[in-house]
RNA sequence: GCCUCCGUAGCUCAGUCGGAUAGAGCAGCAGCCUUCUAAGCUGACGGUCGUGCGUUCGAGCCGCACCGGGGGUACCA
C-alpha cells in the first residue's frame, strides 16, 4: 500500500425514512396473509410482491399485479383476488385511495398530506434523507481503475474509473463502509518494456538511429517524456541501465494517472502494490496451501491449478515452468488479502478484456477455504469514440485527459454513466460538446441552476421560508415532483442491488424534467399570494437538495448559476 | 469450435420479479418568451423489441435453435 489519501467524510445515515414502495409492499403482504388464512390459500413459497409505478395516472401512482400472480395458485379469478386483497388492506396514512382495475391490478394513490409531510423531513435531514442502511455498516471494497503505470489513462479506463467511483458512492449511501482501492504492478515484463521504450525514445531525442520494437509502447507520450529527460539530465543517461528508465517512466506515469483521476473527482483510499504480495511471501504461501489441499499438480515443469474441479473445461497454469507465476496467482493472493482485511462485499470493476480472470480468482479463494459469495464483478464493456477503439499498446487512443480537455469532467462522468456497464458505450463527442439543451448533463444542471436562481431571488426579495402551509401544494405538477423526489432512495438501492449505477443518470434527468414541469405550471414567487409562495419555496428547496444529491452521487457538480 | 456480453424508433440507448397502450434523448416536423434562467416547455411523427420455435392466462424480459457484432478462449496482464 503506497499511500492513503484522505477523502471527504461519507454522509451519516441514521434516519431510515419511510419509503413508499417498501411500505406498500408491507401493506399488501399483510392483506395477503390475512386472505391466505381466511380462505386457506396454499402459498407454499413466499410470494414476491411487486409494486411498480403506475403507467397511467388513472390508475393512481403505484400498482401491483399480485392478484394476477396468485390466480393460478388459488384457482380464482384475478379480479376477485384483487378485491379480496383490497378489503383486507390495513389502513395507512400514506395511502389516499385504493382501487382495482381489470384484469386484476391493485392500484394505490398516495395521500397528498403524507407527501407534503415529507418536505420538512427532507429539509431537516438534508441529502442523507435518501440513504438507507441495507449495508449495515459492513466493510465494502471497490477496486477499480487498477491500470499499471505504463501510460496515460485511456477513455476506456475512464469508464471503469467513473463507474467504480460512482458505485462506491452508492454503496456509501446504502450504508456500507467503503474503501476505494487501486491495484497495480510495477515489476515484470510490462515495466521492462516501458523502460526500453523510454530508453529508445530518449536516445532518439539525442539523435541516435534506434527504433521501437513491435512490443514496445508506441505512444507519443514517451517521446515527450524522452525530451523531458534530455532537458533534465542531458546526455548523462546515454549508457544507463534500462531500470533507470523504467523507474523514471513509472513515477512519471503514476503522477499523470493520479492527476487525471483527481481531475475526474476520483480519490483512492489505497494504492495496493502487487509486489507486496511477493515480498511478504503470500504468493508462495497460496501455492503451498493449494497444493496441500490437492488443488495443484505439476506438468511440463509448470504448476497447474485444477480448475476443472470447479466445472471449468481446462486447468490453468499458476506458475510457469521458468518458475515465474502467471497473473492468476497474485490475483488469488490479493483477493485472499482483501478477505483477510475483513471486507464482506468486494467489487472488482474490470474491463471486458479482463473478465475471464474473475472466475479463476473466485475458484482460487474457494479452494483456500473461503466463501467467495461476497466477491462480485462489475464488468464494463469497451468505449469507443467515433468508431475508434482504444488500445494503449498501439498508441492509437484518445486519452482521458484529452477528452476532459474537450468536454470537461462533468460531461465525461455523466456520459460514462448513461449506459448499463455491460453495454458498449459509444461516446458521442458532438453531443458532449454541445453546450445546450441537447446535452443531458446541461439539462440536469440547468434545472439545478434554475432552482438556485429562484431561491436566491426569494432571499433577495425577502420571501419567507418559514411556517409553510404545505396543504396548499395541490397541483398535479407539485405532486409529481414530490413523488419523483421520494423515489431517489429506491433508485439508489436498486443501483446497489443490481450493480448498475447507470440508473442514477436516468433518474437525474427525470427529476429535472419533473422540476421543469413544475416551473412551467406553478409560479413560485408571487407577492399576491405569500402563503402559496412559502409552500412552493419549501418544495423548491427540497428539489434542489434532491437534484444535487443525484448529481453528487454521480460525481457531477451541481452549479448555482449557468 | 467453446464461453460470455450485446441486438428495442433514422442515430445513441433505458426498460425494476413475466403484467395494463414498449419509453427517453438526439435528428427531422409544428408551436410557445412584457411574468422566478427559452441551456426551458407543448404537440405530432417515428416500432415485425435480430429471426424462428417453445413455456405461460400473459414474453422485450424465461428456454432451445439460428443470424449479426464486441470480448475472451495463453506457461500476456
Amino acid at each position: 500500500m503506497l499511500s492513503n489519501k484522505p477523502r471527504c467524510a461519507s454522509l451519516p445515515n441514521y434516519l431510515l425514512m419511510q419509503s413508499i414502495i417498501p411500505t406498500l409492499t408491507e401493506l399488501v403482504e399483510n392483506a395477503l396473509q390475512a386472505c391466505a388464512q381466511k380462505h386457506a390459500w396454499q402459498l407454499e413459497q413466499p410470494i414476491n410482491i411487486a409494486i411498480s409505478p403506475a403507467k397511467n395516472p388513472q390508475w393512481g401512482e403505484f400498482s401491483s399485479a399480485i392478484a394476477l400472480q396468485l390466480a393460478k395458485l388459488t384457482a380464482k379469478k384475478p379480479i376477485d383476488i384483487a378485491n379480496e386483497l383490497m378489503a383486507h388492506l390495513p389502513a395507512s396514512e400514506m395511502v389516499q385511495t385504493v382501487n382495482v382495475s381489470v384484469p386484476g391490478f391493485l392500484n394505490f394513490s398516495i395521500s397528498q398530506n403524507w407527501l407534503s409531510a415529507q418536505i420538512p423531513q427532507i429539509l431537516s435531514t438534508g441529502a442523507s434523507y435518501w440513504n438507507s442502511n441495507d449495508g449495515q455498516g459492513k466493510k465494502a471494497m471497490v477496486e477499480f481503475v487498477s491500470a499499471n503505470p505504463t501510460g496515460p489513462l485511456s477513455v476506456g479506463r475512464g469508464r471503469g474509473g467513473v463507474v467504480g467511483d460512482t458505485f462506491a458512492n452508492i454503496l456509501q449511501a446504502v450504508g456500507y463502509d467503503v474503501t476505494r482501492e487501486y491495484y497495480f504492478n510495477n515489476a515484470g515484463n510490462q515495466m521492462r518494456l516501458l523502460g526500453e521504450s523510454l530508453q529508445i525514445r530518449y536516445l532518439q531525442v539525442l539523435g541516435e538511429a534506434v527504433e521501437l520494437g513491435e512490443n514496445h509502447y508506441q505512444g507519443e507520450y514517451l517521446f515527450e517524456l524522452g525530451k523531458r529527460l534530455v532537458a533534465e539530465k542531458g546526455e548523462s543517461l546515454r549508457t544507463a541501465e534500462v531500470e533507470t528508465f523504467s523507474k523514471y517512466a513509472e513515477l512519471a506515469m503514476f503522477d499523470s494517472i493520479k492527476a487525471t483521476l483527481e481531475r475526474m473527482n476520483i480519490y483512492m483510499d489505497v494504492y495496493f502494490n502487487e509486489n507486496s504480495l511477493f515480498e511478504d511471501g503470500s504468493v508462495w504461501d497460496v501455492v503451498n496451501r493449494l497444493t496441500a489441499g490437492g488443488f495443484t499438480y505439476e506438468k511440463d515443469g509448470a504448476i497447474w491449478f485444477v480448475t476443472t474441479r470447479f466445472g471449468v473445461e481446462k486447468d490453468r497454469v499458476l506458475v510457469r515452468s521458468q518458475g515465474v507465476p502467471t497473473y492468476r496467482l497474485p490475483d488469488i493472493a490479493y483477493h485472499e488479502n482483501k478477505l483477510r482485511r475483513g471486507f464482506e462485499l468486494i467489487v472488482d470493476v474490470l474491463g471486458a478484456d479482463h473478465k475471464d480472470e474473475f472466475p479463476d480468482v473466485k475458484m482460487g479463494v474457494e479452494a483456500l477455504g473461503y466463501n467467495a459469495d461476497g466477491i462480485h464483478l462489475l464488468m464494463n464493456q469497451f468505449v469507443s469514440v467515433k468508431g475508434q477503439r482504444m488500445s494503449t499498446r498501439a498508441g492509437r487512443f484518445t486519452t482521458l485527459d484529452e477528452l476532459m480537455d474537450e468536454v470537461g469532467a462533468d460531461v465525461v462522468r455523466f456520459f460514462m454513466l448513461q449506459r448499463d456497464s455491460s453495454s458498449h458505450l459509444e461516446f458521442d463527442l458532438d453531443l458532449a460538446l454541445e453546450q445546450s439543451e441537447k446535452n443531458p448533463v446541461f439539462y440536469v444542471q440547468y434545472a439545478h441552476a434554475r432552482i438556485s436562481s429562484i431561491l436566491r431571488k426569494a432571499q433577495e426579495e425577502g420571501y419567507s421560508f418559514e411556517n409553510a402551509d404545505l396543504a396548499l401544494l395541490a397541483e398535479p405538477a407539485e405532486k409529481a415532483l414530490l413523488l419523483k423526489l421520494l423515489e431517489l432512495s429506491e433508485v439508489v438501492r436498486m443501483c446497489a442491488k443490481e450493480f448498475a449505477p447507470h440508473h442514477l443518470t436516468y433518474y437525474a434527468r427525470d427529476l429535472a424534467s419533473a422540476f421543469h414541469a413544475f416551473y412551467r405550471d406553478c409560479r413560485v414567487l408571487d407577492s399576491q399570494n405569500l402563503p402559496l409562495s412559502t409552500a412552493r419555496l419549501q418544495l423548491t428547496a427540497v428539489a434542489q437538495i434532491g437534484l444535487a444529491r443525484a448529481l453528487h452521487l454521480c460525481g457531477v457538480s451541481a452549479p448555482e448559476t449557468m
Side-chain angles (χ1 to χ4, degrees):
Chain A
M1 296 177 216
L2 271 189
S3 66
N4 202 336
K5 284 208 164 195
R7 50 171 300 102
C8 41
S10 60
L11 292 157
N13 56 82
Y14 32 83
L15 274 172
L16 250 179
M17 288 296 117
Q18 187 188 14
S19 47
I20 296 177
I21 289 180
T23 304
L24 293 180
T25 304
E26 205 181 314
L27 293 178
V28 174
E29 174 72 38
N30 284 340
L32 182 57
Q33 292 302 331
C35 290
Q37 207 157 40
K38 183 174 168 188
H39 302 290
W41 290 347
Q42 298 296 319
L43 308 176
E44 59 277 351
Q45 279 156 8
I47 305 290
N48 207 350
I49 297 167
I51 307 282
S52 53
K55 296 194 173 148
N56 188 317
Q58 79 185 73
W59 299 315
E61 285 89 34
F62 293 91
S63 303
S64 175
I66 181 70
L68 283 77
Q69 289 172 253
L70 289 171
K72 181 169 281 177
L73 283 172
T74 58
K76 296 179 73 149
K77 282 188 193 164
I79 194 99
D80 295 336
I81 300 168
N83 279 310
E84 194 69 16
L85 286 171
M86 184 170 68
H88 288 82
L89 273 176
S92 164
E93 288 193 344
M94 181 188 286
V95 179
Q96 182 86 53
T97 58
V98 186
N99 65 62
V100 169
S101 59
V102 288
F105 287 93
L106 207 48
N107 305 311
F108 299 89
S109 182
I110 304 302
S111 154
Q112 191 78 50
N113 286 339
W114 182 87
L115 280 175
S116 302
Q118 303 312 302
I119 291 177
Q121 297 267 27
I122 299 174
L123 288 175
S124 61
T125 311
S128 61
Y129 174 87
W130 295 278
N131 287 0
S132 64
N133 196 26
D134 296 357
Q136 302 174 316
K138 288 179 191 161
K139 286 182 72 177
M141 176 200 291
V142 182
E143 181 219 323
F144 61 111
V145 186
S146 295
N148 288 337
T150 59
L153 288 179
S154 67
V155 171
R157 289 287 187 177
R159 185 180 193 183
V162 173
V163 165
D165 186 58
T166 303
F167 194 65
N169 289 341
I170 288 164
L171 289 181
Q172 286 176 320
V174 298
Y176 283 95
D177 173 14
V178 179
T179 296
R180 291 162 167 81
E181 188 153 311
Y182 185 124
Y183 179 65
F184 71 98
N185 172 316
N186 62 353
N189 197 39
Q190 275 191 72
M191 300 310 291
R192 191 175 52 78
L193 285 172
L194 179 73
E196 287 176 8
S197 307
L198 177 60
Q199 187 175 37
I200 290 165
R201 291 305 203 183
Y202 170 79
L203 294 173
Q204 282 176 344
V205 176
L206 291 178
E208 288 195 23
V210 281
E211 294 300 327
L212 290 172
E214 208 168 277
N215 289 328
H216 288 131
Y217 292 89
Q218 309 288 323
E220 195 64 21
Y221 61 92
L222 284 177
F223 194 66
E224 296 303 318
L225 200 57
K227 283 195 217 165
R228 211 174 93 192
L229 202 47
V230 170
E232 285 175 19
K233 308 272 183 180
E235 299 193 15
S236 65
L237 299 178
R238 223 180 246 281
T239 56
E241 299 288 316
V242 178
E243 286 69 28
T244 308
F245 293 95
S246 293
K247 205 68 212 165
Y248 186 85
E250 181 200 334
L251 293 175
M253 290 306 129
F254 237 132
D255 281 349
S256 131
I257 287 169
K258 285 179 182 173
T260 306
L261 290 178
E262 217 163 293
R263 231 182 131 185
M264 279 222 300
N265 205 6
I266 295 174
Y267 298 91
M268 295 290 171
D269 297 304
V270 178
Y271 284 87
F272 192 101
N273 191 340
E274 176 185 318
N275 209 250
S276 65
L277 297 167
F278 288 89
E279 286 164 358
D280 70 8
S282 50
V283 162
W284 302 111
D285 185 46
V286 165
V287 178
N288 291 339
R289 275 148 58 223
L290 287 176
T291 302
F295 287 97
T296 69
Y297 60 87
E298 262 191 73
K299 194 180 83 180
D300 307 329
I303 300 176
W304 295 70
F305 179 24
V306 193
T307 42
T308 44
R309 196 186 291 186
F310 295 89
V312 179
E313 67 204 281
K314 274 170 73 177
D315 290 335
R316 308 285 184 186
V317 171
L318 282 180
V319 183
R320 289 181 276 250
S321 47
Q322 304 92 325
V324 182
T326 62
Y327 65 88
R328 213 166 272 122
L329 179 52
D331 269 3
I332 294 168
Y334 177 42
H335 281 78
E336 185 187 21
N337 179 287
K338 291 182 183 181
L339 290 165
R340 281 184 166 173
R341 277 188 275 160
F343 291 105
E344 294 186 59
L345 176 62
I346 292 168
V347 183
D348 293 359
V349 180
L350 298 176
D353 53 339
H354 287 240
K355 204 175 56 146
D356 271 18
E357 72 196 46
F358 184 75
D360 295 346
V361 166
K362 285 190 84 161
M363 288 180 273
V365 295
E366 277 174 14
L368 291 172
Y370 295 89
N371 181 342
D373 291 348
I375 306 178
H376 294 267
L377 171 65
L378 207 175
M379 183 203 68
N380 52 84
Q381 273 288 1
F382 285 174
V383 178
S384 56
V385 180
K386 289 182 169 175
Q388 185 201 22
R389 221 173 333 110
M390 304 303 134
S391 165
T392 311
R393 191 85 40 111
R396 195 198 75 242
F397 58 89
T398 309
T399 66
L400 246 194
D401 276 320
E402 286 164 359
L403 191 60
M404 280 192 282
D405 290 343
E406 288 290 319
V407 302
D410 279 347
V411 172
V412 170
R413 285 201 64 131
F414 199 91
F415 271 58
M416 294 291 190
L417 288 170
Q418 283 194 111
R419 303 284 175 261
D420 184 308
S421 47
S422 63
S423 288
H424 291 260
L425 189 152
E426 188 171 347
F427 202 99
D428 187 339
L429 207 53
D430 293 331
L431 185 60
L433 280 166
E434 193 81 46
Q435 305 268 320
S436 75
E437 79 285 355
K438 295 170 194 164
N439 189 326
V441 187
F442 289 103
Y443 178 82
V444 177
Q445 290 184 321
Y446 178 70
H448 187 269
R450 217 178 202 186
I451 290 170
S452 305
S453 169
I454 293 171
L455 297 178
R456 255 195 323 271
K457 184 164 175 157
Q459 200 142 38
E460 282 163 16
E461 298 186 359
Y463 281 88
S464 170
F465 284 77
E466 307 298 324
N467 301 320
D469 178 5
L470 295 168
L472 296 172
L473 301 175
E475 290 290 325
E478 291 166 334
K479 186 172 189 180
L481 176 56
L482 256 174
L483 277 165
K484 189 48 81 175
L485 279 161
L486 296 180
E487 202 180 305
L488 180 53
S489 51
E490 284 306 307
V491 171
V492 174
R493 297 170 90 165
M494 181 169 69
C495 287
K497 204 174 114 198
E498 296 180 3
F499 295 84
H502 71 282
H503 294 300
L504 269 177
T505 54
Y506 284 87
Y507 173 79
R509 229 163 46 182
D510 284 353
L511 182 56
S513 174
F515 176 77
H516 287 311
F518 162 75
Y519 178 88
R520 178 191 71 232
D521 293 342
C522 307
R523 189 177 170 84
V524 178
L525 303 181
D526 180 359
S527 55
Q528 303 303 304
N529 192 342
L530 293 177
L532 183 61
S533 296
T534 300
R536 286 180 172 170
L537 272 172
Q538 290 209 352
L539 175 56
T540 304
V542 165
Q544 185 187 45
I545 299 169
L547 208 45
R549 179 59 172 156
L551 284 168
H552 289 153
L553 282 169
C554 294
V556 174
S557 67
E560 304 262 321
T561 58
M562 286 180 78

